[in-house]
Amino acid sequence: MTTFLHPSAQVDAGLLCGHNVVIDAHVRIGTNCQIGNGVVIHSGTQIGDGVRIDDYSVIGKLPMRSRQSAMTKEVELSPCIIEDGCMIGAQTVIYRGARLEEGVMVADLATVREESAIGAFTIIGRGVAVENKVKIGTRCKIETNAYVTALSDIDDDCFIAPEVTFTNDRFLGRTRERFRYHRGVTMLRGARIGANSTILPGITIGEDALVGAGSIVTHDVTARITVFGSPAREVRPVPTEQLLESQ
Amino acid sequence: MTTFLHPSAQVDAGLLCGHNVVIDAHVRIGTNCQIGNGVVIHSGTQIGDGVRIDDYSVIGKLPMRSRQSAMTKEVELSPCIIEDGCMIGAQTVIYRGARLEEGVMVADLATVREESAIGAFTIIGRGVAVENKVKIGTRCKIETNAYVTALSDIDDDCFIAPEVTFTNDRFLGRTRERFRYHRGVTMLRGARIGANSTILPGITIGEDALVGAGSIVTHDVTARITVFGSPAREVRPVPTEQLLESQ
Amino acid sequence: MTTFLHPSAQVDAGLLCGHNVVIDAHVRIGTNCQIGNGVVIHSGTQIGDGVRIDDYSVIGKLPMRSRQSAMTKEVELSPCIIEDGCMIGAQTVIYRGARLEEGVMVADLATVREESAIGAFTIIGRGVAVENKVKIGTRCKIETNAYVTALSDIDDDCFIAPEVTFTNDRFLGRTRERFRYHRGVTMLRGARIGANSTILPGITIGEDALVGAGSIVTHDVTARITVFGSPAREVRPVPTEQLLESQ
């Protein structure tokens, strides 16, 4: 079995390549990369040095547009960019227009949509969905099956536990007005959210604040404060030894 | 690299086809379809005109039967049917015996099981699991990672937010009796469920009713009423401007 | 199209094999197995008799190690072992160092990480993530999209409903101390957890105990007791007819 390598693609030295790989037009792959079986790299994708991509991941996919989608305006997307030292698991989908900075890790079965940017050394966990137009800072950790809705903004050193759910539409798909109010979740530097919590649209989680597991967050959270419950209420300051400045 | 096309398969004009595609016996594909790399279309599947299917999706898969499964009776499944204009993302699994009506969109990594039917122009979000024997109406939107349990019935124009969980077994796998009481969730026309909510077995969400995010719904919900909390309680009528008739 | 079969691999009689399969060095496959299209079986994997593996599953994958990962010590992993009669769905990822005992079923899009062991006839549902160093007993049922965190220990005959979330780090990624306190969830024989519940780190769910749907479990649960709520409180004994001894 063989690899399909488009004549316009450019592959540098040291590539370790599995079976049945598809490398499309104008793709560029840096030195010493490791590409698993059946990986598909769509046209224009730019991959740095020392990148690992595991079996059956799809990189640089073009979005589909539904007649019912909340975001209908077509845009010209820039190519997908995967910087040096990124590690991408099996069966992920990374869209055209996404950018992964140096050393990002994306685990198996995760997706990163168009016009989203992931900061250096951030970990995107297994099965995580990062929607379009999301900005994530450096050294964040977003754990298994968490859902980061469109238009969210996550600063450096944030932590999102497994199965956390973000929302961005307080009209749940009704009224024309809602398009004016679409707002994701904002996490300021070092904010953390516990497992399986739900964050309502437009909420800001303050700097180094902590949301306890299973909470429903309906109001902004003050910096360095712990909240918990449904709806979430303030319970105590974040312990000093857990603050970013103490690490 | 090439496509495997079974001699008994029938493919109409205008097919755009990726590498390593497998098209099995008696498959029929309409005009102007777009089939991504490595897509597998199992035997008998019927695909309409203008359908897009992205990389590595598996269409028409035969179910596996476990010795421990709640539904053990084997049935003869009809072929998988994908009607005109459907869009199917990457790495989805659509089973034999499923039917997608005109213009349905199924996003990446979603699954639709056997004996389920999805109405025209409905959106099945990324990572959604639609179990077997589910009926979903037209123009519904089921968002990322939601779980629609077996035997559920969802009417037209319903909305299910991300990470919502349906249940159908109030005996959690115990007693022989439970098989008589297996009942999914019923959503009447225009009902909506907020992010990460949990709906208990056999519950009916009334017409145009609204379940707030993160609720645990233990009783039926009255038409045009908003409920919220754990367990969910009535909080107010659904605002007039959000009712279906106002759209 | 063809299969890549490494010369050192050993395949017994009766193999039914799809297109584009990759069978790597020193793999062993027993009699009468069924391997779907594009399945990748990494080096050293040992597969018993009568095993079915569906399209695009990846078996025996080597872990990636992130610079930020909580578990940094590299270990020499033993080969992935899939015993007789296992059924594995489409697009799963089973790691090197995982062991599936006789008759285990793993549904589509699920993952089982390294150094985890799944007991005979247990069902791992669609989209479930079983992390590393997890031990699961026999005849358990772990349902759609549940998250079983690292270091968890699940005894025989346990039940975990859809979208349940386990946690193992009560410091949410901060302090050096946390590595000493990493503890998964323990479920004793016959324990059951309802849909979309969240279990805090180090919790033990007692023998035949029951956690109601949507609960946040912050304390250990007594044997044969039902708890419910956020945080979960005792509500009643488990009904006699639902106890394991009554089945």
PDB file of all heavy atoms in Angstrom, chain C residues 108-138:
ATOM      1  N   ASP C 108     -18.688   1.714  19.271  1.00  0.00           N
ATOM      2  CA  ASP C 108     -18.061   2.695  18.382  1.00  0.00           C
ATOM      3  C   ASP C 108     -17.476   3.876  19.154  1.00  0.00           C
ATOM      4  O   ASP C 108     -18.066   4.380  20.103  1.00  0.00           O
ATOM      5  CB  ASP C 108     -19.094   3.275  17.406  1.00  0.00           C
ATOM      6  CG  ASP C 108     -19.840   2.212  16.621  1.00  0.00           C
ATOM      7  OD1 ASP C 108     -19.271   1.138  16.362  1.00  0.00           O
ATOM      8  OD2 ASP C 108     -21.015   2.463  16.277  1.00  0.00           O
ATOM      9  N   LEU C 109     -16.333   4.366  18.688  1.00  0.00           N
ATOM     10  CA  LEU C 109     -15.766   5.633  19.143  1.00  0.00           C
ATOM     11  C   LEU C 109     -15.361   5.645  20.608  1.00  0.00           C
ATOM     12  O   LEU C 109     -15.139   6.710  21.189  1.00  0.00           O
ATOM     13  CB  LEU C 109     -16.759   6.783  18.873  1.00  0.00           C
ATOM     14  CG  LEU C 109     -17.077   7.023  17.384  1.00  0.00           C
ATOM     15  CD1 LEU C 109     -18.415   7.713  17.216  1.00  0.00           C
ATOM     16  CD2 LEU C 109     -15.986   7.857  16.743  1.00  0.00           C
ATOM     17  N   ALA C 110     -15.264   4.472  21.234  1.00  0.00           N
ATOM     18  CA  ALA C 110     -14.780   4.390  22.611  1.00  0.00           C
ATOM     19  C   ALA C 110     -13.260   4.286  22.618  1.00  0.00           C
ATOM     20  O   ALA C 110     -12.643   3.935  21.614  1.00  0.00           O
ATOM     21  CB  ALA C 110     -15.378   3.184  23.314  1.00  0.00           C
ATOM     22  N   THR C 111     -12.649   4.635  23.770  1.00  0.00           N
ATOM     23  CA  THR C 111     -11.210   4.446  23.922  1.00  0.00           C
ATOM     24  C   THR C 111     -10.910   3.720  25.224  1.00  0.00           C
ATOM     25  O   THR C 111     -11.559   3.946  26.240  1.00  0.00           O
ATOM     26  CB  THR C 111     -10.445   5.792  23.942  1.00  0.00           C
ATOM     27  OG1 THR C 111     -11.019   6.647  24.915  1.00  0.00           O
ATOM     28  CG2 THR C 111     -10.507   6.482  22.613  1.00  0.00           C
ATOM     29  N   VAL C 112      -9.897   2.851  25.187  1.00  0.00           N
ATOM     30  CA  VAL C 112      -9.396   2.183  26.388  1.00  0.00           C
ATOM     31  C   VAL C 112      -7.894   2.415  26.413  1.00  0.00           C
ATOM     32  O   VAL C 112      -7.184   2.018  25.485  1.00  0.00           O
ATOM     33  CB  VAL C 112      -9.710   0.674  26.382  1.00  0.00           C
ATOM     34  CG1 VAL C 112      -9.162   0.013  27.643  1.00  0.00           C
ATOM     35  CG2 VAL C 112     -11.211   0.423  26.271  1.00  0.00           C
ATOM     36  N   ARG C 113      -7.417   3.058  27.475  1.00  0.00           N
ATOM     37  CA  ARG C 113      -6.008   3.467  27.552  1.00  0.00           C
ATOM     38  C   ARG C 113      -5.102   2.369  28.113  1.00  0.00           C
ATOM     39  O   ARG C 113      -5.576   1.329  28.574  1.00  0.00           O
ATOM     40  CB  ARG C 113      -5.912   4.734  28.415  1.00  0.00           C
ATOM     41  CG  ARG C 113      -6.541   5.980  27.778  1.00  0.00           C
ATOM     42  CD  ARG C 113      -5.601   6.631  26.766  1.00  0.00           C
ATOM     43  NE  ARG C 113      -4.339   6.936  27.373  1.00  0.00           N
ATOM     44  CZ  ARG C 113      -4.042   8.068  28.015  1.00  0.00           C
ATOM     45  NH1 ARG C 113      -4.945   9.033  28.076  1.00  0.00           N
ATOM     46  NH2 ARG C 113      -2.859   8.262  28.553  1.00  0.00           N
ATOM     47  N   GLU C 114      -3.822   2.665  28.107  1.00  0.00           N
ATOM     48  CA  GLU C 114      -2.786   1.718  28.513  1.00  0.00           C
ATOM     49  C   GLU C 114      -2.903   1.331  29.989  1.00  0.00           C
ATOM     50  O   GLU C 114      -3.374   2.110  30.802  1.00  0.00           O
ATOM     51  CB  GLU C 114      -1.406   2.324  28.255  1.00  0.00           C
ATOM     52  CG  GLU C 114      -1.032   3.518  29.132  1.00  0.00           C
ATOM     53  CD  GLU C 114      -1.525   4.854  28.586  1.00  0.00           C
ATOM     54  OE1 GLU C 114      -2.422   4.890  27.715  1.00  0.00           O
ATOM     55  OE2 GLU C 114      -1.017   5.892  29.079  1.00  0.00           O
ATOM     56  N   GLU C 115      -2.469   0.131  30.299  1.00  0.00           N
ATOM     57  CA  GLU C 115      -2.444  -0.404  31.669  1.00  0.00           C
ATOM     58  C   GLU C 115      -3.839  -0.489  32.288  1.00  0.00           C
ATOM     59  O   GLU C 115      -3.992  -0.433  33.509  1.00  0.00           O
ATOM     60  CB  GLU C 115      -1.518   0.424  32.571  1.00  0.00           C
ATOM     61  CG  GLU C 115      -0.072   0.393  32.085  1.00  0.00           C
ATOM     62  CD  GLU C 115       0.843   1.183  32.986  1.00  0.00           C
ATOM     63  OE1 GLU C 115       1.319   0.615  33.977  1.00  0.00           O
ATOM     64  OE2 GLU C 115       1.061   2.382  32.701  1.00  0.00           O
ATOM     65  N   SER C 116      -4.881  -0.593  31.443  1.00  0.00           N
ATOM     66  CA  SER C 116      -6.231  -0.840  31.952  1.00  0.00           C
ATOM     67  C   SER C 116      -6.662  -2.246  31.576  1.00  0.00           C
ATOM     68  O   SER C 116      -6.230  -2.782  30.555  1.00  0.00           O
ATOM     69  CB  SER C 116      -7.218   0.188  31.376  1.00  0.00           C
ATOM     70  OG  SER C 116      -6.999   1.435  32.000  1.00  0.00           O
ATOM     71  N   ALA C 117      -7.514  -2.839  32.429  1.00  0.00           N
ATOM     72  CA  ALA C 117      -7.975  -4.205  32.193  1.00  0.00           C
ATOM     73  C   ALA C 117      -9.489  -4.247  32.319  1.00  0.00           C
ATOM     74  O   ALA C 117     -10.049  -3.740  33.289  1.00  0.00           O
ATOM     75  CB  ALA C 117      -7.337  -5.149  33.205  1.00  0.00           C
ATOM     76  N   ILE C 118     -10.144  -4.863  31.341  1.00  0.00           N
ATOM     77  CA  ILE C 118     -11.609  -4.944  31.315  1.00  0.00           C
ATOM     78  C   ILE C 118     -12.001  -6.406  31.477  1.00  0.00           C
ATOM     79  O   ILE C 118     -11.583  -7.263  30.687  1.00  0.00           O
ATOM     80  CB  ILE C 118     -12.164  -4.423  29.965  1.00  0.00           C
ATOM     81  CG1 ILE C 118     -11.459  -3.140  29.506  1.00  0.00           C
ATOM     82  CG2 ILE C 118     -13.668  -4.272  30.025  1.00  0.00           C
ATOM     83  CD1 ILE C 118     -11.789  -1.918  30.278  1.00  0.00           C
ATOM     84  N   GLY C 119     -12.844  -6.705  32.500  1.00  0.00           N
ATOM     85  CA  GLY C 119     -13.221  -8.082  32.816  1.00  0.00           C
ATOM     86  C   GLY C 119     -14.187  -8.686  31.807  1.00  0.00           C
ATOM     87  O   GLY C 119     -14.862  -7.982  31.047  1.00  0.00           O
ATOM     88  N   ALA C 120     -14.293  -9.990  31.858  1.00  0.00           N
ATOM     89  CA  ALA C 120     -15.070 -10.758  30.880  1.00  0.00           C
ATOM     90  C   ALA C 120     -16.524 -10.273  30.780  1.00  0.00           C
ATOM     91  O   ALA C 120     -17.171  -9.993  31.782  1.00  0.00           O
ATOM     92  CB  ALA C 120     -15.043 -12.236  31.253  1.00  0.00           C
ATOM     93  N   PHE C 121     -17.005 -10.194  29.532  1.00  0.00           N
ATOM     94  CA  PHE C 121     -18.402  -9.894  29.217  1.00  0.00           C
ATOM     95  C   PHE C 121     -18.857  -8.493  29.628  1.00  0.00           C
ATOM     96  O   PHE C 121     -20.047  -8.184  29.612  1.00  0.00           O
ATOM     97  CB  PHE C 121     -19.347 -10.971  29.787  1.00  0.00           C
ATOM     98  CG  PHE C 121     -18.950 -12.330  29.313  1.00  0.00           C
ATOM     99  CD1 PHE C 121     -18.365 -13.243  30.175  1.00  0.00           C
ATOM    100  CD2 PHE C 121     -19.099 -12.676  27.984  1.00  0.00           C
ATOM    101  CE1 PHE C 121     -17.939 -14.480  29.726  1.00  0.00           C
ATOM    102  CE2 PHE C 121     -18.682 -13.908  27.512  1.00  0.00           C
ATOM    103  CZ  PHE C 121     -18.095 -14.817  28.396  1.00  0.00           C
ATOM    104  N   THR C 122     -17.935  -7.649  29.999  1.00  0.00           N
ATOM    105  CA  THR C 122     -18.288  -6.255  30.280  1.00  0.00           C
ATOM    106  C   THR C 122     -18.542  -5.521  28.969  1.00  0.00           C
ATOM    107  O   THR C 122     -17.952  -5.837  27.935  1.00  0.00           O
ATOM    108  CB  THR C 122     -17.157  -5.607  31.112  1.00  0.00           C
ATOM    109  OG1 THR C 122     -17.327  -6.011  32.469  1.00  0.00           O
ATOM    110  CG2 THR C 122     -17.154  -4.085  31.026  1.00  0.00           C
ATOM    111  N   ILE C 123     -19.459  -4.544  29.022  1.00  0.00           N
ATOM    112  CA  ILE C 123     -19.771  -3.709  27.859  1.00  0.00           C
ATOM    113  C   ILE C 123     -19.240  -2.298  28.092  1.00  0.00           C
ATOM    114  O   ILE C 123     -19.601  -1.649  29.075  1.00  0.00           O
ATOM    115  CB  ILE C 123     -21.299  -3.634  27.627  1.00  0.00           C
ATOM    116  CG1 ILE C 123     -21.867  -5.020  27.348  1.00  0.00           C
ATOM    117  CG2 ILE C 123     -21.618  -2.684  26.473  1.00  0.00           C
ATOM    118  CD1 ILE C 123     -23.391  -5.023  27.223  1.00  0.00           C
ATOM    119  N   ILE C 124     -18.402  -1.833  27.177  1.00  0.00           N
ATOM    120  CA  ILE C 124     -17.915  -0.446  27.180  1.00  0.00           C
ATOM    121  C   ILE C 124     -18.700   0.277  26.087  1.00  0.00           C
ATOM    122  O   ILE C 124     -18.555  -0.029  24.911  1.00  0.00           O
ATOM    123  CB  ILE C 124     -16.399  -0.408  26.873  1.00  0.00           C
ATOM    124  CG1 ILE C 124     -15.605  -1.291  27.842  1.00  0.00           C
ATOM    125  CG2 ILE C 124     -15.884   1.029  26.860  1.00  0.00           C
ATOM    126  CD1 ILE C 124     -15.610  -0.833  29.273  1.00  0.00           C
ATOM    127  N   GLY C 125     -19.531   1.229  26.478  1.00  0.00           N
ATOM    128  CA  GLY C 125     -20.482   1.835  25.540  1.00  0.00           C
ATOM    129  C   GLY C 125     -19.835   2.769  24.530  1.00  0.00           C
ATOM    130  O   GLY C 125     -18.648   3.107  24.613  1.00  0.00           O
ATOM    131  N   ARG C 126     -20.634   3.236  23.626  1.00  0.00           N
ATOM    132  CA  ARG C 126     -20.250   4.127  22.528  1.00  0.00           C
ATOM    133  C   ARG C 126     -19.666   5.430  23.090  1.00  0.00           C
ATOM    134  O   ARG C 126     -20.272   6.072  23.965  1.00  0.00           O
ATOM    135  CB  ARG C 126     -21.506   4.407  21.706  1.00  0.00           C
ATOM    136  CG  ARG C 126     -21.281   5.326  20.535  1.00  0.00           C
ATOM    137  CD  ARG C 126     -21.631   6.726  20.938  1.00  0.00           C
ATOM    138  NE  ARG C 126     -21.520   7.621  19.799  1.00  0.00           N
ATOM    139  CZ  ARG C 126     -21.116   8.892  19.909  1.00  0.00           C
ATOM    140  NH1 ARG C 126     -20.788   9.403  21.070  1.00  0.00           N
ATOM    141  NH2 ARG C 126     -21.059   9.653  18.857  1.00  0.00           N
ATOM    142  N   GLY C 127     -18.479   5.781  22.654  1.00  0.00           N
ATOM    143  CA  GLY C 127     -17.884   7.046  23.066  1.00  0.00           C
ATOM    144  C   GLY C 127     -17.338   7.080  24.480  1.00  0.00           C
ATOM    145  O   GLY C 127     -16.880   8.123  24.935  1.00  0.00           O
ATOM    146  N   VAL C 128     -17.357   5.958  25.188  1.00  0.00           N
ATOM    147  CA  VAL C 128     -16.827   5.918  26.559  1.00  0.00           C
ATOM    148  C   VAL C 128     -15.309   6.101  26.528  1.00  0.00           C
ATOM    149  O   VAL C 128     -14.636   5.601  25.627  1.00  0.00           O
ATOM    150  CB  VAL C 128     -17.194   4.578  27.233  1.00  0.00           C
ATOM    151  CG1 VAL C 128     -16.381   4.342  28.502  1.00  0.00           C
ATOM    152  CG2 VAL C 128     -18.686   4.522  27.523  1.00  0.00           C
ATOM    153  N   ALA C 129     -14.769   6.815  27.521  1.00  0.00           N
ATOM    154  CA  ALA C 129     -13.324   6.920  27.685  1.00  0.00           C
ATOM    155  C   ALA C 129     -12.920   6.208  28.968  1.00  0.00           C
ATOM    156  O   ALA C 129     -13.293   6.645  30.059  1.00  0.00           O
ATOM    157  CB  ALA C 129     -12.900   8.381  27.732  1.00  0.00           C
ATOM    158  N   VAL C 130     -12.178   5.122  28.831  1.00  0.00           N
ATOM    159  CA  VAL C 130     -11.566   4.463  29.987  1.00  0.00           C
ATOM    160  C   VAL C 130     -10.104   4.892  29.996  1.00  0.00           C
ATOM    161  O   VAL C 130      -9.340   4.566  29.091  1.00  0.00           O
ATOM    162  CB  VAL C 130     -11.670   2.927  29.886  1.00  0.00           C
ATOM    163  CG1 VAL C 130     -10.937   2.260  31.045  1.00  0.00           C
ATOM    164  CG2 VAL C 130     -13.128   2.482  29.849  1.00  0.00           C
ATOM    165  N   GLU C 131      -9.733   5.644  31.024  1.00  0.00           N
ATOM    166  CA  GLU C 131      -8.369   6.170  31.098  1.00  0.00           C
ATOM    167  C   GLU C 131      -7.381   5.086  31.503  1.00  0.00           C
ATOM    168  O   GLU C 131      -7.754   3.925  31.685  1.00  0.00           O
ATOM    169  CB  GLU C 131      -8.341   7.332  32.099  1.00  0.00           C
ATOM    170  CG  GLU C 131      -8.998   8.583  31.547  1.00  0.00           C
ATOM    171  CD  GLU C 131      -8.084   9.390  30.628  1.00  0.00           C
ATOM    172  OE1 GLU C 131      -7.135   8.799  30.054  1.00  0.00           O
ATOM    173  OE2 GLU C 131      -8.323  10.591  30.489  1.00  0.00           O
ATOM    174  N   ASN C 132      -6.124   5.481  31.689  1.00  0.00           N
ATOM    175  CA  ASN C 132      -5.077   4.519  32.016  1.00  0.00           C
ATOM    176  C   ASN C 132      -5.163   4.052  33.468  1.00  0.00           C
ATOM    177  O   ASN C 132      -5.718   4.721  34.321  1.00  0.00           O
ATOM    178  CB  ASN C 132      -3.694   5.108  31.725  1.00  0.00           C
ATOM    179  CG  ASN C 132      -3.497   6.470  32.360  1.00  0.00           C
ATOM    180  OD1 ASN C 132      -4.407   7.298  32.371  1.00  0.00           O
ATOM    181  ND2 ASN C 132      -2.329   6.708  32.906  1.00  0.00           N
ATOM    182  N   LYS C 133      -4.623   2.857  33.720  1.00  0.00           N
ATOM    183  CA  LYS C 133      -4.561   2.283  35.071  1.00  0.00           C
ATOM    184  C   LYS C 133      -5.938   2.120  35.707  1.00  0.00           C
ATOM    185  O   LYS C 133      -6.111   2.341  36.919  1.00  0.00           O
ATOM    186  CB  LYS C 133      -3.660   3.126  35.979  1.00  0.00           C
ATOM    187  CG  LYS C 133      -2.243   3.253  35.424  1.00  0.00           C
ATOM    188  CD  LYS C 133      -1.283   3.866  36.408  1.00  0.00           C
ATOM    189  CE  LYS C 133       0.085   4.000  35.721  1.00  0.00           C
ATOM    190  NZ  LYS C 133       1.127   4.426  36.617  1.00  0.00           N
ATOM    191  N   VAL C 134      -6.919   1.750  34.900  1.00  0.00           N
ATOM    192  CA  VAL C 134      -8.268   1.472  35.411  1.00  0.00           C
ATOM    193  C   VAL C 134      -8.463  -0.040  35.430  1.00  0.00           C
ATOM    194  O   VAL C 134      -8.032  -0.745  34.519  1.00  0.00           O
ATOM    195  CB  VAL C 134      -9.327   2.134  34.501  1.00  0.00           C
ATOM    196  CG1 VAL C 134     -10.734   1.634  34.845  1.00  0.00           C
ATOM    197  CG2 VAL C 134      -9.256   3.652  34.618  1.00  0.00           C
ATOM    198  N   LYS C 135      -9.143  -0.538  36.485  1.00  0.00           N
ATOM    199  CA  LYS C 135      -9.483  -1.951  36.550  1.00  0.00           C
ATOM    200  C   LYS C 135     -11.000  -2.061  36.587  1.00  0.00           C
ATOM    201  O   LYS C 135     -11.653  -1.467  37.446  1.00  0.00           O
ATOM    202  CB  LYS C 135      -8.855  -2.568  37.807  1.00  0.00           C
ATOM    203  CG  LYS C 135      -8.875  -4.078  37.748  1.00  0.00           C
ATOM    204  CD  LYS C 135      -8.331  -4.748  38.993  1.00  0.00           C
ATOM    205  CE  LYS C 135      -8.735  -6.248  38.953  1.00  0.00           C
ATOM    206  NZ  LYS C 135     -10.136  -6.478  38.467  1.00  0.00           N
ATOM    207  N   ILE C 136     -11.558  -2.801  35.640  1.00  0.00           N
ATOM    208  CA  ILE C 136     -13.011  -2.992  35.577  1.00  0.00           C
ATOM    209  C   ILE C 136     -13.287  -4.490  35.628  1.00  0.00           C
ATOM    210  O   ILE C 136     -12.623  -5.270  34.942  1.00  0.00           O
ATOM    211  CB  ILE C 136     -13.594  -2.383  34.283  1.00  0.00           C
ATOM    212  CG1 ILE C 136     -13.294  -0.876  34.241  1.00  0.00           C
ATOM    213  CG2 ILE C 136     -15.087  -2.651  34.170  1.00  0.00           C
ATOM    214  CD1 ILE C 136     -13.802  -0.154  33.008  1.00  0.00           C
ATOM    215  N   GLY C 137     -14.266  -4.892  36.468  1.00  0.00           N
ATOM    216  CA  GLY C 137     -14.567  -6.308  36.669  1.00  0.00           C
ATOM    217  C   GLY C 137     -15.384  -6.917  35.539  1.00  0.00           C
ATOM    218  O   GLY C 137     -15.469  -6.379  34.437  1.00  0.00           O
ATOM    219  N   THR C 138     -16.003  -8.049  35.837  1.00  0.00           N
ATOM    220  CA  THR C 138     -16.772  -8.791  34.835  1.00  0.00           C
ATOM    221  C   THR C 138     -18.231  -8.325  34.844  1.00  0.00           C
ATOM    222  O   THR C 138     -18.743  -7.839  35.837  1.00  0.00           O
ATOM    223  CB  THR C 138     -16.731 -10.302  35.133  1.00  0.00           C
ATOM    224  OG1 THR C 138     -17.301 -10.517  36.414  1.00  0.00           O
ATOM    225  CG2 THR C 138     -15.312 -10.807  35.137  1.00  0.00           C
TER     226      THR C 138
END
